[in-house]
Amino acid sequence: EYRITIGGRVQSGSTDGNGWLRCYVPPDATDGVLEFPGTGERYEFTVGDVRPNVSIRGVQARLRNLGYYAGPVDGSENEEFEKALRLLQRVHEIE
């Protein structure tokens, strides 16, 4: 079971057999909260555009969304970005 508040609209339901949920996202939404009442988990998130994955900013944004990178999404190849990228590659056995 989940409850999601996005764009001021509350929606609830159950995830599918693979753990996915599908919900309406208003075009003007900028943030939201996803809650799982059964476990007490709560996740705040932002909605916005993500740069193409061929740009450093796009890769930084994706790494941040996946929880590997906490640095600035500024397009610079800093040490924190490099560490996050290597960790993702190691976890997923990507060469």
Side-chain angles (χ1 to χ4, degrees):
E1 299 291 315
Y2 69 85
R3 181 175 57 236
I4 188 166
T5 305
I6 186 165
R9 180 179 177 175
V10 178
Q11 303 169 64
S12 59
S14 298
T15 58
D16 68 15
N18 293 317
W20 288 89
L21 67 90
R22 299 196 192 311
C23 70
Y24 171 73
V25 178
D28 60 344
T30 58
D31 57 15
V33 177
L34 173 61
E35 300 172 283
F36 296 96
T39 64
E41 293 174 87
R42 183 177 196 277
Y43 302 95
E44 296 181 17
F45 60 92
T46 57
V47 178
D49 69 326
V50 177
R51 303 247 179 209
N53 63 358
V54 294
S55 73
I56 298 300
R57 287 181 68 163
V59 175
Q60 287 172 325
R62 284 165 177 78
L63 287 170
R64 178 181 278 182
N65 288 343
L66 294 169
Y68 290 99
Y69 178 69
V73 178
D74 61 3
S76 67
E77 294 186 46
N78 57 50
E79 185 177 340
E80 188 173 0
F81 167 71
E82 296 292 336
K83 285 180 181 179
L85 190 55
R86 285 193 301 274
L87 177 59
L88 173 81
Q89 291 169 332
R90 192 169 46 249
V91 167
H92 294 281
E93 299 178 0
I94 301 169
E95 293 186 25

